[in-house]
Structure formats: C-alpha cells, structure tokens
C-alpha cells in the first residue's frame, strides 16, 4: 500500500504557486486599515500645521496693531477643535486705542472664533457679553445681548462679506448728563463687496437693520412711544482703507483717495410716523463732514416739542423743489440738509447750530 497517497475523506494539501506565494494572501484585509491610518495621520499633521499658522497669524496681527497704536489682548488664548474645526477661544478680549471714534478702551466677555482648516477665509465669531467701552469724553458704554454672532469671508486677502447678527441687544450710555438706554429685538448688519462698481473704487455695500428699537430720546423727539424700525443702506468707496480701524491716519488716506458715502436709503418708521432720506457725504479739506441729505416725511405732526401743522409741512414740501417719492405712504419731500464749510442749512435757511468740527 502506498503511504504517500492521500487518505480517504481528507482534503488535498495546498498547492504552492510560483515564487512560493500562497493563494489566500491577507493583504486585502490589511490594506484598507493601513490606508485609513495614513489618512488620519496625514489629517492630524495638516490640522497641527493649520493650528500653528493660526496662532502665528494672530500674533502677527496683534503686533501690527501695536505698531498702529492699538493694544489688543486675548486672555487665556487657546486653539482647539480637532479634528474638523479650529476654535480660538479667549476668556475676554481687551483693546486700548486713541482714535477719532473716541474709544480709549474696550473689553468683552468670553469669545470664540470658529473656522475650518480647509476654508481659512471663512470665520464665525461668537461673543458673550457684556461689551464695555470708555470714551475719550469720559462716557461709558455697556452692551448686553442674548446672542451675538459675526461671520467674515475673505477673497484674495480682501474682505468679501462681513455679517453681524445680535438678538435682544441692550445698550446703556452713561455720562455727566445722565444715562441713556437703547434696546431692540434684533440688530443685523452686513458689509460686502459691490462687484458691479469698478474694481479701482473698492466699493462696499453697507446695510444695517434695527427692529423694535426703544429709545426715550426718540420718543420725546417725535412725541410717540411706539418702538422704531430702522433700515440704513450705504454704498461706500475705498472702505478698504479703513480695514484697520477709524483713525486719523486711515481717515486721511480715505479722504485723499476720494472716498465717499452714498446714503442710498435711510428709513425710520415709528408707529404711523415715517422718515426717509438719501444723500452723499465726504470729508472736506478741513476734515469736516460735508455733503447733502434729502429727507422726506409722513405723518409727522410733532418734532422736538414743536407742533407741525399740515399747512407748514405742505409749504416746506413745496420749497424743497423735489417731487414726492414714488411711495404709497404719503411721504412728502422736505428741503435738503446741506453741510458745507462746517455750517448746516435746511434749504436756504442756515440753522443756528455750532459749526461742525474737524474729525481729526
């Protein structure tokens, strides 16, 4: 009997292929796992590099701001969010500055800036209140809110869009003359590049909307306790020169470049009372605000405690020399407000107001 013959009922021994390779190789099982490990390791390195670049970018921005006289500080700064986000957190943010806006110090509560490693040009910022500011004249401003979020998009290193959304903001302004409080249901603002204008103008559209604004000063001015809705639309040229803040240096550069603000629409509605205006503002050679504003009103029967009768309003509308706006709200044009040489005029009448002072 041949001992080498296979026994009945037992499988044949495996046959080796050429080169000694076995037919049932396990590489197919390990390859996907190995590729996953490589992807995770590569992404981790990429995230770490992006984190380092963000930290260096913040340090560079703070150093450049310091050269302009701005002292920014992000307390207890941390960068986290692995694996899919980059989150820069500050326990509070402070700024010390001397500028034409009059702000000498500013501070906020906790703040977080959120971005993604593969889209660094889009950043979302969320801030907790309160925001406190001290003005150069000694007045103090405090703002609180239920929710505040800002979003910024850049394209080619230039601002493409900036949006702000604030829910239930309340602002208190305190000074020697007393305290003023403003509150509203919502505040939103947008700044975006206007692609329809020539690139050399670096034109931007600005839009601000305030809903259900409550202000004792406005109530007294119009003799109406209804909350107000406010819409403002502005087309500004060369606003890129103000990217680093409103200072004497940036404003002068903006003036010399021919910067201007076209007020395409200002609308205030308070109950049945309405005011609309449009116009243009620039800075003159003495660095004063100069320009022309064309207002229109409807259902205004009192202003600053003065009763306005229908005949007087009709006469003022006739003196304006402008046709009524294309509106069904009964808006009537008023004489234009001219700002020239530091003086303010309503139509041909120069108002007895103090001369406008240079901004810087």
């Amino acid at each position: 009997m041949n001992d080498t013959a296979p026994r009945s009922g037992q499988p044949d021994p495996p046959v080796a292929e050429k080169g000694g390779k076995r037919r049932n190789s396990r590489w197919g099982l390990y390859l996907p796992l190995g590729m996953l490990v490589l992807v995770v390791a590569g992404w981790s390195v990429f995230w770490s590099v992006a984190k380092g670049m963000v930290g260096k970018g913040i340090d560079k921005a703070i150093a450049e701001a310091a050269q302009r006289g701005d002292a920014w500080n992000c307390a207890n700064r941390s960068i986290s969010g692995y694996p899919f986000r980059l989150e820069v957190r500050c326990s509070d943010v402070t700024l010390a500055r001397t500028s034409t806006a009059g702000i000498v110090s500013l501070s906020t509560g906790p703040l977080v800036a959120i971005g993604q490693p593969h889209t660094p040009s889009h950043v979302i910022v969320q801030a907790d209140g309160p925001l406190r500011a001290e003005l150069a004249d000694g007045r103090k401003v405090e703002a609180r809110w239920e929710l505040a979020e800002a979003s910024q998009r850049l394209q080619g290193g230039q601002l493409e869009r900036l949006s702000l959304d604030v829910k239930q903001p309340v602002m208190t302004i305190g000074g020697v003359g007393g305290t003023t409080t403003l509150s509203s249901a919502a505040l939103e603002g947008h700044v975006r590049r206007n692609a329809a204008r020539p690139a050399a103008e670096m034109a931007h559209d600005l839009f601000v909307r305030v809903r259900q604004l409550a202000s004792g000063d406005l109530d007294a001015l119009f003799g109406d306790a209804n909350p107000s809705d406010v819409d403002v639309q502005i087309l500004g040229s060369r606003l890129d020169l103000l990217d680093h803040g409103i200072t004497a240096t940036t404003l002068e550069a903006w003036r010399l470049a021919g910067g201007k603000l076209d007020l395409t629409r200002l609308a205030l509605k308070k109950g049945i009372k309405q005011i609309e205006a449009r116009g243009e503002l620039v800075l003159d050679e003495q660095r004063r605000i100069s320009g022309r504003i064309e207002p229109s009103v409807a259902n205004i029967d009192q202003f600053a405690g003065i009763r306005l009768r229908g005949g007087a309003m009709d006469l003022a509308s006739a003196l304006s020399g402008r046709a009524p706006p294309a509106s069904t709200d009964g808006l009537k044009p008023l004489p234009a407000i001219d700002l020239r040489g530091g003086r303010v005029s309503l139509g041909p009448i120069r108002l007895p107001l103090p001369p406008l002072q240079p901004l810087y």
Side-chain angles (χ1 to χ4, degrees):
M1 185 173 181
N2 190 354
D3 294 337
T4 61
R7 297 179 181 179
S8 176
Q10 293 184 353
D12 294 337
V15 179
E17 297 181 357
K18 291 182 180 181
K21 295 182 180 179
R22 300 179 67 86
R23 184 178 299 167
N24 56 346
S25 174
R26 298 181 182 274
W27 276 107
L29 297 176
Y30 298 136
L31 184 59
L33 179 61
M35 294 181 63
L36 178 61
V37 170
L38 288 176
V39 169
V40 171
W43 180 261
S44 298
V45 171
F46 174 71
W47 188 91
S48 298
V49 171
K51 172 184 176 181
M53 293 177 64
V54 168
K56 291 179 181 179
I58 294 173
D59 292 337
K60 181 181 178 181
I62 292 176
E64 291 176 349
Q67 294 178 354
R68 299 191 300 269
D70 297 342
W72 285 98
N73 182 51
C74 170
N76 302 315
R77 188 178 81 194
S78 65
I79 303 177
S80 59
Y82 179 84
F84 299 117
R85 301 203 303 184
L86 285 167
E87 299 180 358
V88 180
R89 296 182 179 273
C90 307
S91 59
D92 63 76
V93 176
T94 60
L95 165 66
R97 165 193 284 183
T98 300
S99 74
T100 56
I103 298 177
V104 294
S105 67
L106 180 148
S107 65
T108 71
L111 180 147
V112 57
I114 303 170
Q116 295 180 321
H118 58 286
T119 56
S121 60
H122 183 203
V123 178
I124 296 174
V125 178
Q126 298 171 342
D128 295 334
L131 182 148
R132 295 187 176 94
E134 183 177 346
L135 307 183
D137 58 6
R139 289 183 298 169
K140 295 183 178 180
V141 179
E142 180 176 289
R144 297 178 180 271
W145 50 81
E146 183 178 293
L147 174 68
E149 183 174 277
S151 173
Q152 175 182 276
R153 287 183 181 273
L154 302 177
Q155 185 175 30
Q158 298 291 334
L159 177 66
E160 180 183 9
R161 186 183 182 96
L162 176 65
S163 299
L164 174 67
D165 186 14
V166 186
K167 304 299 184 185
Q168 301 292 335
V170 178
M171 178 182 294
T172 302
I173 305 172
V176 178
T179 300
T180 300
T181 300
L182 304 173
S183 65
S184 69
L187 164 67
E188 63 176 295
H190 303 277
V191 180
R192 60 189 176 192
R193 284 286 303 275
N194 187 315
R197 303 299 289 259
E201 288 187 15
M202 296 296 290
H204 289 75
D205 293 311
L206 291 82
F207 173 77
V208 177
R209 170 174 290 169
V210 184
R211 288 291 170 260
Q212 300 295 298
L213 173 65
S215 166
D217 291 340
L218 280 178
D219 292 350
L221 197 62
F222 292 98
D224 191 325
N226 284 299
S228 306
D229 291 338
V230 182
D231 289 325
V232 181
Q233 297 178 27
I234 296 174
L235 174 62
S237 62
R238 295 313 312 267
L239 295 187
D240 58 303
L241 298 173
L242 304 178
D243 282 349
H244 298 305
I246 301 175
T247 65
T249 301
T250 58
L251 277 176
E252 181 65 7
W254 181 72
R255 184 187 73 85
L256 293 175
K260 66 177 180 178
L261 300 177
D262 288 319
L263 180 62
T264 55
R265 184 172 185 261
L266 184 154
L268 182 148
K269 180 177 286 189
K270 189 175 180 64
I272 63 171
K273 296 177 171 61
Q274 295 183 70
I275 295 179
E276 290 195 5
R278 60 186 68 247
E280 179 181 294
L281 297 174
V282 298
L283 290 178
D284 63 19
E285 294 182 355
Q286 281 70 44
R287 287 74 177 172
R288 297 172 301 206
I289 296 177
S290 179
R292 178 183 175 91
I293 299 174
E294 298 179 345
S296 300
V297 301
N299 304 312
I300 304 293
D301 56 3
Q302 178 179 324
F303 189 80
I306 301 174
R307 299 290 298 180
L308 303 175
R309 300 185 181 277
M313 294 298 291
D314 292 339
L315 177 60
S317 179
L319 291 174
S320 72
R322 294 185 288 118
S327 170
T328 60
D329 297 327
L331 288 165
K332 298 180 180 181
L334 293 181
I337 301 172
D338 283 308
L339 295 83
R340 294 285 185 273
R343 297 292 183 179
V344 181
S345 299
L346 180 62
I349 303 173
R350 177 176 292 182
L351 300 180
L353 299 174
L356 299 178
Q357 298 300 313
L359 293 183
Y360 56 96

